[in-house]
């Protein structure tokens, strides 16, 4: 927090989690930059959320990159994956527009998915077009439109490092300041007491940081270097980590959703269904017996329960 200023900030370094994502799959450098930046952004936005659940950032591309997905939960556990066209060629230094918005059909989606959904409750999803030439700009535009909050992001990622800085202008609640009446006169006074220029100043300072500097400087040094002249209150750091939430049960549910007919025909072709998690590489195999159980499990548990009830 910037003292006496309507500005808050966050700095993240998720390099370890980011390296774990890439230990699974190698991406071309330009894709690395984009996915790594999305991951830093997800951590920044997630720390900002006041609900227990996950934030999912997705880009559906119409260029060489088809899909980029990053998920971050309330404990700052992250996972990420990207899907490229089979014959994709990705020159180094490709721009966001070249990667995912060649024909203007690319889409960016933010999903807020509560952990304990009530029956019938849906995840909230906002979808926007991909205007902007960086992940940061796309998210800034989204935040301005959906939250009406001035939010600025600076993101940097390469094959080793992923870091980000977020600044947010807090709504100025003029008249509602501590105690007393809220007359129009006092409201304006309260606002002028605040450091009115703080937002422009903190943003301008952050804008002096190049992505090279961000990649080569740890976040506490960066904070010191940028804001040594400001009164900054620093909070206890939290610790982001790589984690995949996939499970055999979830894969089973997904197969069930495809329907028995679809599964039977796939089994007839392949003999056994092999599914690898896109996020962590975990392998799940379902043979004919496993699949049969998927569709009969409910019926069996009913059958098992009935005699139990009759015993007494
Ligand atoms: Zn997984």
């Amino acid at each position: 927090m910037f003292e006496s200023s309507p500005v808050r900030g966050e700095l993240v370094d998720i390099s370890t989690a980011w390296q774990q994502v890439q230990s699974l799959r190698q991406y071309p450098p330009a894709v690395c930059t984009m996915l790594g930046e999305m991951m830093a952004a997800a951590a920044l936005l997630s720390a900002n959320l006041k609900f227990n659940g996950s934030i999912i950032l997705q880009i559906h591309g119409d260029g060489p990159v088809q899909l980029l997905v990053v998920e971050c939960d309330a404990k700052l556990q992250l996972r990420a994956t990207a899907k490229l066209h089979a014959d994709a060629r990705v020159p180094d230094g490709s721009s966001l527009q070249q990667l995912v918005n060649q024909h203007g059909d690319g889409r960016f989606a933010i999903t807020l998915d509560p952990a304990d959904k009530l029956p019938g409750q849906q995840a909230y999803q906002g979808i926007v077009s991909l205007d902007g030439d960086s992940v940061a700009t796309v998210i800034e535009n989204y935040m301005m439109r959906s939250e009406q909050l001035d939010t600025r992001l600076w993101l940097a990622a390469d094959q080793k490092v992923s870091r980000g800085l977020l600044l947010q202008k807090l709504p100025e609640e003029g008249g509602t300041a501590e105690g007393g009446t809220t007359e129009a006169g006092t409201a304006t006074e309260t606002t002028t007491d605040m450091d009115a220029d703080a937002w422009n100043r903190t943003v301008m300072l952050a804008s002096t940081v190049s992505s090279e500097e961000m990649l080569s400087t740890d976040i506490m040094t960066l904070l010191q270097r940028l804001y040594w002249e400001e009164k900054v209150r620093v909070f206890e750091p939290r610790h982001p980590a790589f984690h995949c939430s996939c499970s055999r049960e979830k894969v089973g549910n997904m197969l069930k959703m495809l329907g028995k007919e679809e599964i039977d025909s796939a089994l007839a072709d392949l003999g056994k269904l092999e599914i690898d998690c896109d996020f962590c590489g975990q392998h799940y195999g379902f043979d004919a017996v496993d699949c049969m159980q998927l569709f009969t499990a409910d019926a069996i548990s009913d059958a098992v329960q009935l005699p139990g009830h009759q015993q007494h």
Side-chain angles (χ1 to χ4, degrees), residues 9-281:
E10 287 168 17
L11 279 153
V12 292
D13 184 340
I14 51 150
S15 300
T16 311
W18 173 226
Q19 283 166 19
Q20 267 172 286
V21 167
Q22 291 173 94
S23 65
L24 230 81
R25 204 170 300 168
Q26 300 273 299
Y27 297 111
V31 178
C32 257
T33 300
M34 205 171 149
L35 190 63
E37 289 186 0
M38 279 174 74
M39 219 167 138
L44 288 167
L45 296 177
S46 163
N48 199 1
L49 290 176
K50 286 166 193 73
F51 87 120
N52 177 26
S54 298
I55 181 164
I56 303 153
L57 305 184
Q58 268 170 297
I59 290 179
H60 298 268
D62 68 357
V65 181
Q66 288 175 291
L67 181 70
L68 299 130
V69 189
V70 172
E71 210 178 310
C72 182
D73 69 14
K75 293 182 195 156
L76 291 182
Q77 299 184 125
L78 296 128
R79 61 179 192 170
T81 187
K83 195 173 170 196
L84 280 70
H85 272 291
D87 55 352
R89 282 188 307 114
V90 182
D92 289 1
S94 295
S95 69
L96 179 140
Q97 295 295 329
Q98 289 166 332
L99 289 176
V100 290
N101 203 29
Q102 286 190 349
H103 312 287
D105 295 326
R107 290 288 175 269
F108 170 69
I110 287 191
T111 308
L112 303 179
D113 191 13
D116 312 300
K117 278 198 280 294
L118 300 167
Q121 191 185 358
Q122 298 276 322
Y124 163 82
Q125 191 175 55
I127 302 175
V128 291
S129 56
L130 283 167
D131 45 355
D133 46 19
S134 69
V135 172
T137 319
V138 170
I139 294 176
E140 284 166 2
N141 291 341
Y142 173 87
M143 293 295 282
M144 200 60 208
R145 246 173 281 163
S146 69
E147 318 269 318
Q148 268 101 49
L149 278 178
D150 253 324
T151 307
R152 294 294 310 272
L153 287 114
W154 291 266
L155 308 166
D158 61 14
Q159 270 135 320
K160 289 207 173 70
V161 177
S162 167
R163 294 194 179 116
L165 162 65
L166 173 148
L167 290 177
Q168 200 162 60
K169 190 178 186 179
L170 300 171
E172 288 175 53
E173 299 166 4
T176 57
E178 328 57 277
T181 49
T182 53
E183 292 160 30
T186 50
T188 39
E189 247 173 76
T190 319
T191 328
T192 45
D193 279 351
M194 295 292 269
D195 181 351
D197 185 46
W199 172 249
N200 292 335
R201 194 173 61 244
T202 48
V203 166
M204 216 176 66
L205 285 167
S207 304
T208 62
V209 182
S210 66
S211 44
E212 287 75 24
E213 189 178 1
M214 227 164 153
L215 290 172
S216 61
T217 318
D218 72 86
I219 53 177
M220 290 318 283
T221 308
L222 204 61
L223 175 66
Q224 178 70 18
R225 204 179 277 175
L226 283 174
Y227 298 121
W228 62 277
E229 277 185 306
E230 306 284 331
K231 272 197 197 124
V232 178
R233 196 178 347 147
V234 180
F235 294 84
E236 197 61 29
R238 296 177 59 200
H239 300 281
F242 175 81
H243 173 76
C244 188
S245 53
C246 70
S247 67
R248 190 171 173 83
E249 192 192 347
K250 284 183 190 172
V251 175
N253 285 338
M254 182 202 74
L255 293 176
K256 252 163 104 171
M257 300 239 291
L258 292 174
K260 192 165 185 328
E261 216 167 294
E262 185 96 356
I263 297 296
D264 284 346
S265 115
L267 279 172
D269 286 347
L270 306 163
K272 190 179 178 198
L273 305 183
E274 313 275 0
I275 297 118
D276 291 324
C277 174
D278 285 334
F279 291 97
C280 71

Side-chain angles (χ1 to χ4, degrees), residues 290-310:
D290 296 329
C291 290
M292 198 181 71
Q293 278 174 349
L294 285 177
F295 293 99
T296 53
D298 297 337
I300 287 175
S301 64
D302 287 346
V304 170
Q305 260 178 13
L306 280 173
H309 283 295
Q310 286 164 349

